[in-house]
Every structure is written in structure tokens, then in C-alpha cells.
């Protein structure tokens, strides 16, 4: 396995000199499963103002990201509330649906944000008839707080912001109960976009058998699947076995086994969930990328774990319910510990915390160097000013080509610039640390998602073409290692890595074609 320029020691021994640094908890919300994983890996928890490698804590306002040193890593990106708040999530997905059609974006219920959409809701309410059910949610709450299922207009609260959705009244049931899925999604970078999904997750059941009767709508134990709600039911049954299909919380892998025994194609179902995740993350991309450019010193400084809540209807179609930007990592049972513990261990390895020279730590705003065990050992940290004029020309060339086809886009790999080599090496290093995470973007089949970005990104094109060409032959890492050993990733004047002449030749060919016409 090729290790990154990181400690990569979660579950192992720390590298020499590690004792001088630590991971900071900073605030009191850091979950125990994170603290315990850090402790087992011999990291030292610190509360000093700048002597830390990583922080797991609260989301903060975008300008606050400016104080993060280039060797430090926070577990949030600026702007992810654009999908983490229920009202923003539906606004952004609705925009995507208008732009790309219901065929691509039909995985969320019809939604109205009040008070802005009150007239539209009233019309939809009247068109739907008296037996139609609606679910109302506060736009920024969690743990099922303030959620109700209603069917009368008179039940609608009037004096506070609300999200109103058409209720999914025909869910897929197991043993008569409805359930939802908690899918763990980890984004290591927004530019280029890299998305991972953990192979396991949680299945949370309502603790009362489901009924579609209007008389039952006030029963939260029947209509809500939140653990924080159902654990209060005296009939709630716990489950500590990650392989058992029993109680009111299962492991996701246990669900796949249960459905597989019923002849259901769980592979296809997983692919549909991946599709939802990728499209939803892309819906937040323009906001996050803009704020990263404004407030974050280096792309290395941010990463984020999301909790996607997915429900299956009676036809096994997955629907997104919400996205959590601080998903609960509290572990109350052996089942929670088994799934969340492994997930956090793999996540922190994927994060690739780097150990800078001690002199860099004493200056909070200094740039970091990585350790030397990476594919491109000794690489300097990327900043916003690294691009040479030649690299800027290459990016502009590929981003301004209208109606570019696959044959043309594949030429992006013909001449690899220093920044290309750095990004590709970083991505390969990261992929080799994935543990039980699966990278779903970029992937060999993810090129079609490039059309959903508000603005095309050069690095997304680069990684997409790399995946298409080398996904079944990762031994090409040897090529990247050779280039890094030659120092190409640090900058070079070698004509073999300069695109200017190649692009001029291409433009001359196009000019000749135009003149012939």
C-alpha cells in the first residue's frame, strides 16, 4: 500500500517526533468515539491556541476559517449548511431539478418553505384532496424536534419558519414498521471534488408498527424513525449485534443481507443511493468552492463527514430526507461502537494529517511540509498562488472548449504539469488509505456528473480522465512516483511538462481547419 504524506497511524504507532503535536478537541462536543480513536493512535489531545493538527468540533461562520494554519485540518467546509439546513437543501435541489429535469432530480419529496411558499402550498394542498398527508419540520432542527405529520390546514403553524413536505405515506416496511437509513458520506476535497461512502451504516426503525390511518398521525413512535424519539418508547428494543436483524436498530450490512434473501438487488439499490449522494453534494459545490476561495488558505485544511438520511418507498425507490453536517457519533450500544468506531478510524486515516517541521508549528500561519512516506514525498503544501503561467494556460484551454468530446478531454493527460502531478499523487495516496470507504466521485462511471456542476472545474476533468484511463490498473502510481522523485511536482522547466507549445500546435491545427472551410 502506498501511504500518504500523513501520519496514517490510527490504530498503529505514531511516527518519530509525533509527541510534539496533537489533535485538539477545542470544544466539548467532540464525540467519545473520536476521542477514543485518537487516544488509541497515540495522538495527544491539546487545547493550545495553535499547537494542533486537527480539530473535531462545531461548524463556524465562514470568516473564521481564515485563522486555520496551512498544516491544520478542521472537520467542516465553509458553506455546507447549504445542504445541512433543511430549507437550503430543498431550495438547492429544487434549482437542480428546474435546470436538469425531474428525470435526474426526482429523489426528494415536493417541498415548500414557509412563509415564502405559502400560496403555492395552499394550491397544492387544495389540489391534493383532504386525505393527503404532509410533514412539517423546523428548517434547522435535529433529532426529530418540532416534526409533525398533519392532514388539516388548520393544523398548520402560522408564526414560525417551516418546511412542509408531501409525506411519503407508502414506505417500504419490515415486520410492519417503517425505517430509514443513515449513510455516512465523507468529502475530503471540493476542488477537485472527492466523495467517499462508508460501506456500513445504520438502519433506524420506528418503534410502533405503521398505519396509514389519519387517526395515527400524532403517534411519533410510528411515523418518525429518529433514534432520539423512539428510544423514549417503552417498547423500544435495543440491538447490540451488527449482524442481527432484530430490535429497532440494525447495521446497514444486515439490512442488505435481509433484502438479498428476499431476492432484492441490493447492488442496484446502493448505486441509486450513490447517485443521490453525488448529486446532492454537487448542489452545494458552488457555495462551498466560493467560500473556500475567499476564506481558506489551503484545500488541505477542510474535510467533512455528512450523515445522509434515506428512506425507501414501497417500490424500493430511495428518497433523501435530510443531510446532517454534524451526524451523531455517540455510541450507546455495541452496534454503534462497531460501526462508528471503524468508520471514524478509517475516516481519520483518510484525512491524512501531516506532520510539519516543529519550526512551522510555532507560527500558526506558516506553510506545512509533509512527511516523506507519500507517493510524492516531500511535497510542499498547495496554496492559491502555486500555478505557473503555463499551468493557468492549460486550465483555461480545457475550460473554454465548447462541446468538448471524450477524445479531446482525454488529451488532458498527455502533458502533466507540476500541479497535475501533485493532485493526482494526492488522490492516489488518499485512495490507498480508504479502508472500508468507497470513493464514489471521481470513479470510472462518474463522468456524466460533470454536467451538473454550475461551473466546470479543471481538476474534476483531470481526475475524471485519470479514472477512466487507469481505474483498472492502479500500478500507474509508479509513473507518478517517478515524476515526484524527479521533483516535477515541485515545479519544472522541462519542456515535457510544459503545455504552451502543445496548445499552440492544437490552436494552429484548428485555425487551419477553419481556413479550409
Amino acid at each position: 500500500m502506498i501511504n500518504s504524506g500523513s501520519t496514517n497511524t490510527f490504530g498503529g504507532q505514531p511516527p518519530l517526533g509525533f509527541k510534539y503535536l496533537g489533535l485538539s478537541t477545542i470544544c466539548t462536543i467532540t464525540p467519545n468515539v473520536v476521542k477514543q480513536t485518537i487516544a488509541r493512535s497515540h495522538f495527544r489531545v491539546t487545547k493550545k491556541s495553535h499547537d494542533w493538527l486537527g480539530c473535531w468540533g462545531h461548524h463556524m461562520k465562514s470568516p473564521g476559517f481564515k485563522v486555520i494554519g496551512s498544516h491544520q485540518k478542521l472537520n467542516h467546509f465553509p458553506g455546507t449548511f447549504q445542504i445541512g439546513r433543511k430549507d437550503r437543501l430543498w431550495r438547492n435541489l429544487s434549482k437542480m431539478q428546474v435546470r436538469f429535469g425531474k428525470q435526474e432530480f426526482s429523489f426528494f419529496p415536493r417541498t415548500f418553505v414557509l412563509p415564502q411558499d405559502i400560496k403555492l402550498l395552499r394550491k397544492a394542498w387544495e389540489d391534493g384532496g383532504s386525505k393527503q398527508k404532509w410533514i412539517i419540520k423546523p428548517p434547522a432542527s435535529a433529532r426529530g424536534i418540532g416534526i409533525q405529520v398533519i392532514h388539516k390546514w388548520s393544523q398548520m403553524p402560522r408564526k414560525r419558519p417551516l418546511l412542509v413536505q408531501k409525506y411519503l405515506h407508502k414506505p417500504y416496511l419490515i415486520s410492519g414498521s417503517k425505517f430509514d437509513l443513515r449513510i455516512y458520506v465523507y468529502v475530503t476535497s471540493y476542488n477537485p471534488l472527492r466523495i467517499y461512502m462508508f460501506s456500513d451504516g445504520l438502519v433506524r426503525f420506528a418503534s410502533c408498527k405503521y398505519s396509514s390511518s389519519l387517526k395515527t398521525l400524532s403517534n411519533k413512535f410510528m411515523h418518525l424513525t429518529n433514534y432520539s424519539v423512539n428510544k423514549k418508547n417503552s417498547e423500544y428494543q435495543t440491538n447490540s449485534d451488527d449482524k442481527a436483524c432484530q430490535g429497532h436498530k440494525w447495521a446497514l450490512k444486515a439490512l442488505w443481507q435481509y433484502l438479498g434473501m428476499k431476492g432484492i438487488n441490493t447492488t442496484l439499490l446502493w448505486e441509486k443511493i450513490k447517485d443521490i449522494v453525488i448529486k446532492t453534494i454537487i448542489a452545494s459545490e458552488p457555495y462551498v468552492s466560493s467560500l473556500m476561495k475567499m476564506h481558506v488558505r489551503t484545500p488541505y485544511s477542510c474535510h467533512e463527514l455528512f450523515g445522509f438520511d434515506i428512506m425507501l418507498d414501497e417500490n424500493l425507490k430511495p428518497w433523501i430526507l435530510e443531510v446532517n453536517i454534524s451526524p451523531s457519533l455517540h455510541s450507546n450500544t455495541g452496534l454503534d461502537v462497531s460501526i462508528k468506531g471503524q468508520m471514524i478510524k478509517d475516516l481519520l486515516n483518510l484525512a491524512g494529517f501531516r506532520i510539519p517541521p516543529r519550526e512551522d508549528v510555532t507560527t500558526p500561519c506558516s506553510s506545512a511540509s509533509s512527511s516523506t512516506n507519500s507517493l510524492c514525498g516531500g511535497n510542499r503544501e498547495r496554496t492559491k498562488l502555486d500555478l505557473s503561467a503555463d499551468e493557468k494556460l492549460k486550465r483555461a484551454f480545457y475550460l473554454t472548449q465548447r462541446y468538448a468530446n471524450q477524445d479531446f478531454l482525454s488529451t488532458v493527460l498527455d502533458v502533466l504539469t507540476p500541479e497535475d502531478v501533485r493532485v493526482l499523487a494526492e488522490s492516489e495516496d488518499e485512495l490507498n488509505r480508504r479502508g472500508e470507504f468507497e470513493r464514489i466521485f471521481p470513479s470510472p462511471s462518474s463522468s456524466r456528473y460533470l454536467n451538473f456542476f454550475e461551473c466546470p472545474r479543471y481538476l474534476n476533468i483531470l481526475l475524471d480522465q485519470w479514472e477512466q484511463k487507469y481505474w483498472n490498473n492502479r500500478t500507474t502510481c509508479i509513473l507518478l512516483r517517478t515524476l515526484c522523485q524527479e521533483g516535477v511536482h515541485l515545479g519544472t522547466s522541462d519542456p515535457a511538462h510544459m503545455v504552451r507549445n502543445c496548445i499552440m500546435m492544437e490552436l494552429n491545427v484548428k485555425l487551419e481547419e477553419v481556413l479550409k472551410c
Side-chain angles (χ1 to χ4, degrees):
M1 177 180 290
I2 299 172
N3 293 326
S4 81
S6 67
T7 61
N8 199 17
T9 59
F10 290 92
Q13 292 294 320
L16 186 65
F18 182 78
K19 63 182 180 180
Y20 297 119
L21 296 168
L23 273 159
S24 171
T25 58
I26 292 183
C27 64
T28 58
I29 70 162
T30 305
N32 286 333
V33 67
V34 177
K35 294 178 183 177
Q36 291 162 2
T37 304
I38 292 169
R40 285 195 300 271
S41 304
H42 308 281
F43 277 80
R44 176 168 55 85
V45 174
T46 176
K47 293 185 179 180
K48 294 182 181 179
S49 60
H50 65 268
D51 186 13
W52 56 275
L53 285 178
C55 172
W56 195 283
H58 285 292
H59 215 296
M60 61 184 180
K61 293 182 178 180
S62 299
F65 284 79
K66 291 181 177 179
V67 303
I68 302 174
S70 57
H71 65 282
Q72 296 171 325
K73 206 173 189 75
L74 181 71
N75 67 311
H76 293 291
F77 290 92
T80 51
F81 62 87
Q82 289 289 345
I83 55 175
R85 272 184 60 110
K86 298 179 182 69
D87 53 349
R88 302 290 178 89
L89 171 66
W90 307 117
R91 285 289 190 214
N92 289 318
L93 288 179
S94 295
K95 288 179 184 177
M96 299 292 275
Q97 187 182 78
V98 169
R99 186 177 175 189
F100 298 105
K102 290 186 177 180
Q103 185 174 354
E104 292 287 358
F105 287 84
S106 63
F107 49 82
F108 56 98
R110 190 175 185 188
T111 304
F112 301 88
V113 180
L114 302 189
Q116 301 97 305
D117 298 338
I118 187 68
K119 291 183 179 179
L120 294 172
L121 172 62
R122 187 61 192 250
K123 184 178 186 308
W125 193 289
E126 293 170 350
D127 294 344
S130 60
K131 293 186 177 181
Q132 186 163 281
K133 304 178 185 70
W134 299 82
I135 186 166
I136 59 176
K137 308 175 182 179
S141 68
R143 301 184 299 279
I145 297 172
I147 297 180
Q148 294 177 262
V149 183
I150 63 175
H151 71 101
K152 294 180 180 178
W153 185 258
S154 59
Q155 297 172 312
M156 184 76 65
R158 294 288 198 278
K159 296 183 179 180
R160 54 189 172 94
L162 280 178
L163 197 78
V164 183
Q165 291 179 323
K166 190 174 180 181
Y167 185 58
L168 299 175
H169 66 288
K170 292 184 178 181
Y172 186 85
L173 304 177
I174 292 180
S175 300
S177 296
K178 68 181 290 188
F179 60 92
D180 74 353
L181 315 178
R182 166 56 58 87
I183 307 296
Y184 294 107
V185 176
Y186 180 50
V187 178
T188 60
S189 169
Y190 264 85
N191 186 22
L193 184 61
R194 293 194 296 264
I195 309 172
Y196 295 80
M197 273 172 55
F198 193 59
S199 61
D200 210 348
L202 294 171
V203 185
R204 292 92 55 93
F205 285 84
S207 51
C208 283
K209 293 188 183 298
Y210 182 77
S211 169
S212 59
S213 170
L214 297 178
K215 297 179 181 180
T216 68
L217 296 187
S218 61
N219 187 344
K220 291 190 175 184
F221 300 142
M222 177 184 294
H223 293 282
L224 303 187
T225 54
N226 308 71
Y227 166 73
S228 55
V229 171
N230 283 280
K231 68 179 182 179
K232 299 174 183 177
N233 186 359
S234 60
E235 297 183 9
Y236 183 85
Q237 298 177 11
T238 60
N239 174 26
S240 293
D241 188 343
D242 62 355
K243 295 180 174 57
C245 299
Q246 63 187 22
H248 290 112
K249 187 187 285 188
W250 297 2
L252 184 62
K253 288 183 177 178
L255 175 68
W256 294 152
Q257 184 176 11
Y258 173 90
L259 295 177
M261 292 175 64
K262 292 183 171 294
I264 294 170
N265 186 341
T266 56
T267 300
L268 177 60
L269 186 53
W270 190 236
E271 290 300 317
K272 291 179 179 179
I273 293 174
K274 288 182 194 176
D275 181 70
I276 290 175
V277 167
I278 294 171
K279 289 174 178 174
T280 302
I281 294 294
I282 290 176
S284 69
E285 191 273 345
Y287 305 98
V288 175
S289 292
S290 175
L291 292 173
M292 286 285 289
K293 187 175 181 180
M294 290 172 59
H295 301 297
V296 183
R297 184 174 293 112
T298 167
Y300 166 80
S301 293
C302 296
H303 63 137
E304 189 149 5
L305 174 68
F306 298 90
F308 275 65
D309 291 346
I310 303 290
M311 181 169 286
L312 306 178
D313 67 16
E314 61 178 354
N315 299 315
L316 287 169
K317 175 184 175 178
W319 297 77
I320 186 170
L321 300 180
E322 63 180 275
V323 177
N324 296 270
I325 56 177
S326 294
S328 172
L329 295 175
H330 295 300
S331 302
N332 303 301
T333 67
L335 173 64
D336 289 317
V337 172
S338 174
I339 294 172
K340 297 177 184 179
Q342 182 64 46
M343 187 265 294
I344 288 298
K345 174 186 171 183
D346 289 347
L347 183 152
L348 294 176
N349 273 329
L350 253 177
F353 294 98
R354 297 168 182 167
I355 299 190
R358 184 163 179 77
E359 59 270 20
D360 287 350
V361 182
T362 59
T363 306
C365 295
S366 61
S367 178
S369 301
S370 76
S371 59
T372 57
N373 63 334
S374 68
L375 187 61
C376 51
N379 68 310
R380 58 189 168 86
E381 189 57 74
R382 290 191 294 131
T383 69
K384 298 168 186 175
L385 302 176
D386 282 337
L387 295 182
S388 66
D390 189 69
E391 289 174 312
K392 291 178 181 177
L393 176 65
K394 182 182 180 185
R395 293 190 178 202
F397 179 67
Y398 281 94
L399 290 176
T400 55
Q401 300 299 312
R402 299 183 63 187
Y403 313 115
N405 58 27
Q406 171 58 27
D407 289 340
F408 170 75
L409 292 177
S410 65
T411 63
V412 76
L413 300 177
D414 290 352
V415 179
L416 295 179
T417 69
E419 178 71 356
D420 292 344
V421 174
R422 284 199 296 273
V423 170
L424 291 171
E426 176 185 88
S427 296
E428 289 297 314
D429 279 344
E430 187 180 272
L431 186 64
N432 277 282
R433 301 193 304 270
R434 66 188 179 277
E436 293 188 27
F437 276 94
E438 175 188 0
R439 193 168 75 187
I440 62 173
F441 189 95
S443 75
S445 59
S446 65
S447 58
R448 77 180 193 90
Y449 293 99
L450 296 180
N451 294 325
F452 298 133
F453 285 80
E454 183 174 275
C455 297
R457 307 286 182 192
Y458 169 81
L459 293 179
N460 288 336
I461 296 172
L462 177 72
L463 287 184
D464 176 67
Q465 292 302 313
W466 181 266
E467 282 299 307
Q468 289 194 49
K469 187 172 184 178
Y470 296 121
W471 70 273
N472 63 345
N473 183 17
R474 312 281 352 168
T475 57
T476 50
C477 292
I478 297 173
L479 164 65
L480 292 176
R481 184 179 293 280
T482 300
L483 293 175
C484 290
Q485 288 172 344
E486 294 172 356
V488 172
H489 63 297
L490 298 176
T492 180
S493 58
D494 185 344
H497 299 282
M498 304 288 285
V499 298
R500 186 176 300 273
N501 292 337
C502 298
I503 290 177
M504 291 306 297
M505 290 174 61
E506 177 76 18
L507 291 175
N508 287 334
V509 169
K510 288 190 174 185
L511 180 59
E512 290 178 4
E513 292 176 350
V514 170
L515 293 175
K516 287 180 181 178
C517 296

